[in-house]
Amino acid sequence: DNGWEALYLVTDEGTGLCAGHAETEAMSEVLRQSDTYHAIAHQLGKWINRLEAAAYKAIGTEDKCERKLDSAKSDRVQEKCWEAYERAAEAAAKAIRLYEEFCYLYRCLVRELDVFDANGNLRDRQQAEEQIEAGLTLIENLGHSNITKAVSKIRRVLPDLLHYLDIAKGIVEACKELCPDQEALKAFCIAWQKGKAAIKAKQADRKKRAAEQEQFYR
């Protein structure tokens, strides 16, 4: 009514927002991009700290059992403490392994959301989607029920998760016409991505490193 035209819509998966997009006459034909933060980082990222805390707790329990074993005097008490220590050591090893494997898979998954690869080439949407699907399957195989539920939520939004790569493809093609030096264009694409990383970084050292890389490629 006020002369504004919607070209591209980005939302999380809120029921009202999704329904509004589908039912509003002015918006129903507009491409809707699911918010990648809420889709992946919000669903899975929180588990990094939770699994780390669980691993440290298990390590503490193992250490406590080991100290009890060292102080045990009688054979009966030693045997009981040894059994408790073995259980605690096994639980700690399992918790550490779960934390390390999840962190690795999560970081691989997040990298698939990058617009450009390390050489400044535009990422292929189909390939990125396939890699994300493979990563989700590996995360499911870790056998953590609550994380598996989060994976199911991500799978539901995956078809709407990578529209931005299609949008970026048109923009890159237009930039190629403006910049005849393709290597320079790739460097600029990397700089743009590093700049985005600097904006999003929460930790000061990561923010500083990304900003320095942005300036290097510029």
PDB file of all heavy atoms in Angstrom, residues 130-156:
ATOM      1  N   GLU A 130      24.039 -31.504   0.410  1.00  0.00           N
ATOM      2  CA  GLU A 130      24.423 -32.902   0.584  1.00  0.00           C
ATOM      3  C   GLU A 130      25.398 -33.068   1.750  1.00  0.00           C
ATOM      4  O   GLU A 130      25.299 -34.026   2.534  1.00  0.00           O
ATOM      5  CB  GLU A 130      25.055 -33.432  -0.708  1.00  0.00           C
ATOM      6  CG  GLU A 130      24.056 -33.605  -1.848  1.00  0.00           C
ATOM      7  CD  GLU A 130      24.721 -33.971  -3.160  1.00  0.00           C
ATOM      8  OE1 GLU A 130      25.979 -33.981  -3.198  1.00  0.00           O
ATOM      9  OE2 GLU A 130      24.012 -34.244  -4.144  1.00  0.00           O
ATOM     10  N   GLN A 131      26.337 -32.133   1.879  1.00  0.00           N
ATOM     11  CA  GLN A 131      27.306 -32.197   2.975  1.00  0.00           C
ATOM     12  C   GLN A 131      26.621 -31.976   4.328  1.00  0.00           C
ATOM     13  O   GLN A 131      26.959 -32.631   5.321  1.00  0.00           O
ATOM     14  CB  GLN A 131      28.408 -31.153   2.760  1.00  0.00           C
ATOM     15  CG  GLN A 131      29.316 -31.434   1.580  1.00  0.00           C
ATOM     16  CD  GLN A 131      30.149 -32.682   1.764  1.00  0.00           C
ATOM     17  OE1 GLN A 131      30.463 -33.086   2.873  1.00  0.00           O
ATOM     18  NE2 GLN A 131      30.505 -33.311   0.670  1.00  0.00           N
ATOM     19  N   ILE A 132      25.666 -31.063   4.365  1.00  0.00           N
ATOM     20  CA  ILE A 132      24.916 -30.832   5.599  1.00  0.00           C
ATOM     21  C   ILE A 132      24.131 -32.074   5.979  1.00  0.00           C
ATOM     22  O   ILE A 132      24.109 -32.491   7.148  1.00  0.00           O
ATOM     23  CB  ILE A 132      23.974 -29.622   5.447  1.00  0.00           C
ATOM     24  CG1 ILE A 132      24.790 -28.326   5.379  1.00  0.00           C
ATOM     25  CG2 ILE A 132      22.981 -29.548   6.606  1.00  0.00           C
ATOM     26  CD1 ILE A 132      23.963 -27.092   5.081  1.00  0.00           C
ATOM     27  N   GLU A 133      23.491 -32.690   5.008  1.00  0.00           N
ATOM     28  CA  GLU A 133      22.725 -33.914   5.264  1.00  0.00           C
ATOM     29  C   GLU A 133      23.634 -35.018   5.794  1.00  0.00           C
ATOM     30  O   GLU A 133      23.275 -35.731   6.741  1.00  0.00           O
ATOM     31  CB  GLU A 133      22.024 -34.363   3.983  1.00  0.00           C
ATOM     32  CG  GLU A 133      21.221 -35.641   4.119  1.00  0.00           C
ATOM     33  CD  GLU A 133      20.133 -35.561   5.165  1.00  0.00           C
ATOM     34  OE1 GLU A 133      19.405 -34.548   5.185  1.00  0.00           O
ATOM     35  OE2 GLU A 133      20.003 -36.506   5.976  1.00  0.00           O
ATOM     36  N   ALA A 134      24.819 -35.153   5.200  1.00  0.00           N
ATOM     37  CA  ALA A 134      25.771 -36.164   5.662  1.00  0.00           C
ATOM     38  C   ALA A 134      26.220 -35.866   7.093  1.00  0.00           C
ATOM     39  O   ALA A 134      26.328 -36.779   7.930  1.00  0.00           O
ATOM     40  CB  ALA A 134      26.983 -36.210   4.735  1.00  0.00           C
ATOM     41  N   GLY A 135      26.472 -34.581   7.389  1.00  0.00           N
ATOM     42  CA  GLY A 135      26.878 -34.196   8.736  1.00  0.00           C
ATOM     43  C   GLY A 135      25.793 -34.465   9.756  1.00  0.00           C
ATOM     44  O   GLY A 135      26.059 -34.922  10.879  1.00  0.00           O
ATOM     45  N   LEU A 136      24.541 -34.192   9.393  1.00  0.00           N
ATOM     46  CA  LEU A 136      23.421 -34.451  10.298  1.00  0.00           C
ATOM     47  C   LEU A 136      23.293 -35.943  10.602  1.00  0.00           C
ATOM     48  O   LEU A 136      23.008 -36.331  11.744  1.00  0.00           O
ATOM     49  CB  LEU A 136      22.124 -33.926   9.682  1.00  0.00           C
ATOM     50  CG  LEU A 136      22.006 -32.404   9.551  1.00  0.00           C
ATOM     51  CD1 LEU A 136      20.717 -32.035   8.821  1.00  0.00           C
ATOM     52  CD2 LEU A 136      22.055 -31.721  10.913  1.00  0.00           C
ATOM     53  N   THR A 137      23.515 -36.767   9.585  1.00  0.00           N
ATOM     54  CA  THR A 137      23.454 -38.220   9.796  1.00  0.00           C
ATOM     55  C   THR A 137      24.538 -38.675  10.766  1.00  0.00           C
ATOM     56  O   THR A 137      24.289 -39.495  11.665  1.00  0.00           O
ATOM     57  CB  THR A 137      23.620 -38.951   8.450  1.00  0.00           C
ATOM     58  OG1 THR A 137      22.538 -38.594   7.583  1.00  0.00           O
ATOM     59  CG2 THR A 137      23.605 -40.467   8.647  1.00  0.00           C
ATOM     60  N   LEU A 138      25.750 -38.133  10.615  1.00  0.00           N
ATOM     61  CA  LEU A 138      26.841 -38.489  11.521  1.00  0.00           C
ATOM     62  C   LEU A 138      26.555 -38.021  12.944  1.00  0.00           C
ATOM     63  O   LEU A 138      26.882 -38.725  13.914  1.00  0.00           O
ATOM     64  CB  LEU A 138      28.155 -37.886  11.018  1.00  0.00           C
ATOM     65  CG  LEU A 138      28.711 -38.498   9.733  1.00  0.00           C
ATOM     66  CD1 LEU A 138      29.904 -37.701   9.231  1.00  0.00           C
ATOM     67  CD2 LEU A 138      29.103 -39.953   9.957  1.00  0.00           C
ATOM     68  N   ILE A 139      25.940 -36.857  13.088  1.00  0.00           N
ATOM     69  CA  ILE A 139      25.580 -36.364  14.420  1.00  0.00           C
ATOM     70  C   ILE A 139      24.515 -37.264  15.040  1.00  0.00           C
ATOM     71  O   ILE A 139      24.559 -37.574  16.241  1.00  0.00           O
ATOM     72  CB  ILE A 139      25.101 -34.902  14.338  1.00  0.00           C
ATOM     73  CG1 ILE A 139      26.285 -33.981  14.040  1.00  0.00           C
ATOM     74  CG2 ILE A 139      24.432 -34.474  15.654  1.00  0.00           C
ATOM     75  CD1 ILE A 139      25.910 -32.536  13.828  1.00  0.00           C
ATOM     76  N   GLU A 140      23.555 -37.703  14.233  1.00  0.00           N
ATOM     77  CA  GLU A 140      22.548 -38.650  14.727  1.00  0.00           C
ATOM     78  C   GLU A 140      23.202 -39.927  15.243  1.00  0.00           C
ATOM     79  O   GLU A 140      22.776 -40.496  16.250  1.00  0.00           O
ATOM     80  CB  GLU A 140      21.570 -39.004  13.614  1.00  0.00           C
ATOM     81  CG  GLU A 140      20.462 -38.007  13.394  1.00  0.00           C
ATOM     82  CD  GLU A 140      19.512 -38.470  12.307  1.00  0.00           C
ATOM     83  OE1 GLU A 140      19.964 -39.040  11.308  1.00  0.00           O
ATOM     84  OE2 GLU A 140      18.300 -38.238  12.467  1.00  0.00           O
ATOM     85  N   ASN A 141      24.235 -40.368  14.539  1.00  0.00           N
ATOM     86  CA  ASN A 141      24.905 -41.617  14.908  1.00  0.00           C
ATOM     87  C   ASN A 141      25.648 -41.532  16.237  1.00  0.00           C
ATOM     88  O   ASN A 141      26.085 -42.565  16.766  1.00  0.00           O
ATOM     89  CB  ASN A 141      25.879 -42.033  13.801  1.00  0.00           C
ATOM     90  CG  ASN A 141      25.167 -42.464  12.533  1.00  0.00           C
ATOM     91  OD1 ASN A 141      23.983 -42.797  12.558  1.00  0.00           O
ATOM     92  ND2 ASN A 141      25.879 -42.458  11.415  1.00  0.00           N
ATOM     93  N   LEU A 142      25.794 -40.318  16.778  1.00  0.00           N
ATOM     94  CA  LEU A 142      26.416 -40.175  18.100  1.00  0.00           C
ATOM     95  C   LEU A 142      25.524 -40.751  19.189  1.00  0.00           C
ATOM     96  O   LEU A 142      25.987 -41.055  20.288  1.00  0.00           O
ATOM     97  CB  LEU A 142      26.717 -38.701  18.394  1.00  0.00           C
ATOM     98  CG  LEU A 142      27.751 -38.026  17.492  1.00  0.00           C
ATOM     99  CD1 LEU A 142      27.899 -36.557  17.855  1.00  0.00           C
ATOM    100  CD2 LEU A 142      29.099 -38.735  17.579  1.00  0.00           C
ATOM    101  N   GLY A 143      24.226 -40.875  18.901  1.00  0.00           N
ATOM    102  CA  GLY A 143      23.322 -41.556  19.822  1.00  0.00           C
ATOM    103  C   GLY A 143      22.828 -40.740  20.993  1.00  0.00           C
ATOM    104  O   GLY A 143      22.395 -41.298  22.004  1.00  0.00           O
ATOM    105  N   HIS A 144      22.852 -39.415  20.882  1.00  0.00           N
ATOM    106  CA  HIS A 144      22.340 -38.549  21.949  1.00  0.00           C
ATOM    107  C   HIS A 144      20.904 -38.161  21.590  1.00  0.00           C
ATOM    108  O   HIS A 144      20.662 -37.460  20.615  1.00  0.00           O
ATOM    109  CB  HIS A 144      23.222 -37.311  22.063  1.00  0.00           C
ATOM    110  CG  HIS A 144      22.973 -36.479  23.283  1.00  0.00           C
ATOM    111  ND1 HIS A 144      21.824 -35.740  23.462  1.00  0.00           N
ATOM    112  CD2 HIS A 144      23.731 -36.279  24.398  1.00  0.00           C
ATOM    113  CE1 HIS A 144      21.883 -35.112  24.615  1.00  0.00           C
ATOM    114  NE2 HIS A 144      23.022 -35.419  25.202  1.00  0.00           N
ATOM    115  N   SER A 145      19.939 -38.594  22.377  1.00  0.00           N
ATOM    116  CA  SER A 145      18.524 -38.456  22.013  1.00  0.00           C
ATOM    117  C   SER A 145      18.089 -37.007  21.812  1.00  0.00           C
ATOM    118  O   SER A 145      17.381 -36.688  20.844  1.00  0.00           O
ATOM    119  CB  SER A 145      17.633 -39.124  23.062  1.00  0.00           C
ATOM    120  OG  SER A 145      17.830 -38.542  24.338  1.00  0.00           O
ATOM    121  N   ASN A 146      18.494 -36.106  22.705  1.00  0.00           N
ATOM    122  CA  ASN A 146      18.074 -34.706  22.581  1.00  0.00           C
ATOM    123  C   ASN A 146      18.707 -34.016  21.372  1.00  0.00           C
ATOM    124  O   ASN A 146      18.064 -33.199  20.701  1.00  0.00           O
ATOM    125  CB  ASN A 146      18.411 -33.929  23.852  1.00  0.00           C
ATOM    126  CG  ASN A 146      17.518 -34.313  25.016  1.00  0.00           C
ATOM    127  OD1 ASN A 146      16.352 -34.650  24.820  1.00  0.00           O
ATOM    128  ND2 ASN A 146      18.056 -34.283  26.223  1.00  0.00           N
ATOM    129  N   ILE A 147      19.949 -34.345  21.084  1.00  0.00           N
ATOM    130  CA  ILE A 147      20.604 -33.784  19.901  1.00  0.00           C
ATOM    131  C   ILE A 147      19.954 -34.337  18.638  1.00  0.00           C
ATOM    132  O   ILE A 147      19.793 -33.612  17.649  1.00  0.00           O
ATOM    133  CB  ILE A 147      22.111 -34.087  19.927  1.00  0.00           C
ATOM    134  CG1 ILE A 147      22.775 -33.337  21.094  1.00  0.00           C
ATOM    135  CG2 ILE A 147      22.770 -33.686  18.613  1.00  0.00           C
ATOM    136  CD1 ILE A 147      24.258 -33.604  21.247  1.00  0.00           C
ATOM    137  N   THR A 148      19.554 -35.597  18.669  1.00  0.00           N
ATOM    138  CA  THR A 148      18.870 -36.193  17.523  1.00  0.00           C
ATOM    139  C   THR A 148      17.553 -35.476  17.246  1.00  0.00           C
ATOM    140  O   THR A 148      17.168 -35.281  16.085  1.00  0.00           O
ATOM    141  CB  THR A 148      18.614 -37.696  17.774  1.00  0.00           C
ATOM    142  OG1 THR A 148      19.873 -38.363  17.911  1.00  0.00           O
ATOM    143  CG2 THR A 148      17.845 -38.317  16.620  1.00  0.00           C
ATOM    144  N   LYS A 149      16.853 -35.054  18.295  1.00  0.00           N
ATOM    145  CA  LYS A 149      15.620 -34.283  18.114  1.00  0.00           C
ATOM    146  C   LYS A 149      15.918 -32.957  17.410  1.00  0.00           C
ATOM    147  O   LYS A 149      15.156 -32.508  16.552  1.00  0.00           O
ATOM    148  CB  LYS A 149      14.955 -34.029  19.465  1.00  0.00           C
ATOM    149  CG  LYS A 149      14.367 -35.269  20.120  1.00  0.00           C
ATOM    150  CD  LYS A 149      13.772 -34.935  21.478  1.00  0.00           C
ATOM    151  CE  LYS A 149      13.243 -36.187  22.168  1.00  0.00           C
ATOM    152  NZ  LYS A 149      12.711 -35.880  23.523  1.00  0.00           N
ATOM    153  N   ALA A 150      17.024 -32.319  17.801  1.00  0.00           N
ATOM    154  CA  ALA A 150      17.419 -31.058  17.156  1.00  0.00           C
ATOM    155  C   ALA A 150      17.744 -31.281  15.681  1.00  0.00           C
ATOM    156  O   ALA A 150      17.408 -30.445  14.827  1.00  0.00           O
ATOM    157  CB  ALA A 150      18.627 -30.463  17.889  1.00  0.00           C
ATOM    158  N   VAL A 151      18.379 -32.409  15.378  1.00  0.00           N
ATOM    159  CA  VAL A 151      18.696 -32.744  13.982  1.00  0.00           C
ATOM    160  C   VAL A 151      17.414 -32.868  13.163  1.00  0.00           C
ATOM    161  O   VAL A 151      17.342 -32.399  12.019  1.00  0.00           O
ATOM    162  CB  VAL A 151      19.514 -34.051  13.913  1.00  0.00           C
ATOM    163  CG1 VAL A 151      19.587 -34.569  12.475  1.00  0.00           C
ATOM    164  CG2 VAL A 151      20.918 -33.823  14.455  1.00  0.00           C
ATOM    165  N   SER A 152      16.388 -33.468  13.747  1.00  0.00           N
ATOM    166  CA  SER A 152      15.110 -33.620  13.041  1.00  0.00           C
ATOM    167  C   SER A 152      14.506 -32.263  12.695  1.00  0.00           C
ATOM    168  O   SER A 152      13.945 -32.075  11.609  1.00  0.00           O
ATOM    169  CB  SER A 152      14.129 -34.426  13.900  1.00  0.00           C
ATOM    170  OG  SER A 152      14.610 -35.740  14.122  1.00  0.00           O
ATOM    171  N   LYS A 153      14.634 -31.302  13.604  1.00  0.00           N
ATOM    172  CA  LYS A 153      14.127 -29.950  13.345  1.00  0.00           C
ATOM    173  C   LYS A 153      14.893 -29.291  12.203  1.00  0.00           C
ATOM    174  O   LYS A 153      14.307 -28.587  11.378  1.00  0.00           O
ATOM    175  CB  LYS A 153      14.228 -29.103  14.614  1.00  0.00           C
ATOM    176  CG  LYS A 153      13.305 -29.551  15.734  1.00  0.00           C
ATOM    177  CD  LYS A 153      13.450 -28.659  16.958  1.00  0.00           C
ATOM    178  CE  LYS A 153      12.517 -29.104  18.074  1.00  0.00           C
ATOM    179  NZ  LYS A 153      12.666 -28.259  19.296  1.00  0.00           N
ATOM    180  N   ILE A 154      16.201 -29.501  12.157  1.00  0.00           N
ATOM    181  CA  ILE A 154      17.015 -28.918  11.086  1.00  0.00           C
ATOM    182  C   ILE A 154      16.629 -29.513   9.738  1.00  0.00           C
ATOM    183  O   ILE A 154      16.520 -28.803   8.736  1.00  0.00           O
ATOM    184  CB  ILE A 154      18.510 -29.137  11.364  1.00  0.00           C
ATOM    185  CG1 ILE A 154      18.933 -28.372  12.629  1.00  0.00           C
ATOM    186  CG2 ILE A 154      19.359 -28.684  10.178  1.00  0.00           C
ATOM    187  CD1 ILE A 154      20.328 -28.689  13.101  1.00  0.00           C
ATOM    188  N   ARG A 155      16.403 -30.807   9.720  1.00  0.00           N
ATOM    189  CA  ARG A 155      16.034 -31.466   8.463  1.00  0.00           C
ATOM    190  C   ARG A 155      14.731 -30.896   7.895  1.00  0.00           C
ATOM    191  O   ARG A 155      14.572 -30.799   6.681  1.00  0.00           O
ATOM    192  CB  ARG A 155      15.888 -32.966   8.689  1.00  0.00           C
ATOM    193  CG  ARG A 155      17.208 -33.716   8.669  1.00  0.00           C
ATOM    194  CD  ARG A 155      16.999 -35.141   8.203  1.00  0.00           C
ATOM    195  NE  ARG A 155      18.284 -35.793   7.992  1.00  0.00           N
ATOM    196  CZ  ARG A 155      18.874 -36.570   8.892  1.00  0.00           C
ATOM    197  NH1 ARG A 155      18.296 -36.775  10.064  1.00  0.00           N
ATOM    198  NH2 ARG A 155      20.042 -37.135   8.625  1.00  0.00           N
ATOM    199  N   ARG A 156      13.822 -30.514   8.775  1.00  0.00           N
ATOM    200  CA  ARG A 156      12.538 -29.996   8.300  1.00  0.00           C
ATOM    201  C   ARG A 156      12.699 -28.666   7.571  1.00  0.00           C
ATOM    202  O   ARG A 156      11.919 -28.351   6.679  1.00  0.00           O
ATOM    203  CB  ARG A 156      11.563 -29.839   9.480  1.00  0.00           C
ATOM    204  CG  ARG A 156      11.021 -31.144  10.015  1.00  0.00           C
ATOM    205  CD  ARG A 156       9.753 -30.936  10.817  1.00  0.00           C
ATOM    206  NE  ARG A 156       9.981 -30.195  12.034  1.00  0.00           N
ATOM    207  CZ  ARG A 156      10.275 -30.755  13.206  1.00  0.00           C
ATOM    208  NH1 ARG A 156      10.381 -32.074  13.299  1.00  0.00           N
ATOM    209  NH2 ARG A 156      10.463 -30.024  14.285  1.00  0.00           N
TER     210      ARG A 156
END
